[in-house]
Amino acid sequence: MRHKQRGVTFFGLVFYGAVLGSLALVGMQVFPTAVEYMSVVKAVKKAADGSTVAEVRSIFDKAAQIDDIRSISGADLEVTKSGDKVVVNFAYQREMHLAGPAYLLLKYQGSSR
């Protein structure tokens, strides 16, 4: 009795490899921006301890220098008060070139709440 062979053909293997390679390439470009976003959130929460707008922005800029945050600065923060508590909001975008005319746009936003 002949058993039917099972498995992936060579072209299937090349196709799966190309798809996994493309996903890995995009993931390697997105990962640093996600790490930077987490640093921004940490810096914004630290900056919310300030009492004036200038102090909040100064605290954020100092934390941004330490954590190497380049996507946003203290001037880009929106500082408001909710009752007696300072609330810091932020939003920014990162655009990454993928290939040819294709770009990936990531929008990040958050708050100190």
Side-chain angles (χ1 to χ4, degrees):
M1 294 185 121
R2 300 181 84 199
H3 292 289
K4 195 172 190 181
Q5 290 186 353
R6 298 179 125 177
V8 179
T9 65
F10 176 72
F11 293 113
L13 184 63
V14 170
F15 175 76
Y16 292 139
V19 169
L20 288 175
S22 298
L23 289 175
L25 183 64
V26 171
M28 287 188 292
Q29 290 181 348
V30 170
F31 181 74
T33 66
V35 171
E36 184 181 43
Y37 171 75
M38 289 185 275
S39 297
V40 169
V41 169
K42 184 175 80 172
V44 163
K45 288 183 180 180
K46 188 183 301 182
D49 293 337
S51 57
T52 65
V53 174
E55 186 179 3
V56 167
R57 290 182 174 163
S58 174
I59 293 170
F60 180 83
D61 285 335
K62 288 177 185 176
Q65 284 179 345
I66 293 170
D67 290 336
D68 195 30
I69 298 170
R70 297 181 185 174
S71 296
I72 189 171
S73 68
D76 299 325
L77 300 176
E78 180 185 319
V79 182
T80 58
K81 275 201 160 195
S82 176
D84 60 342
K85 192 173 183 182
V86 174
V87 178
V88 183
N89 298 312
F90 68 93
Y92 65 96
Q93 302 180 48
R94 289 292 304 260
E95 185 177 281
M96 290 177 281
H97 180 257
L98 295 177
Y103 286 85
L104 178 64
L105 178 65
L106 301 170
K107 294 183 179 183
Y108 293 107
Q109 63 183 4
S111 177
S112 64
R113 286 188 201 174

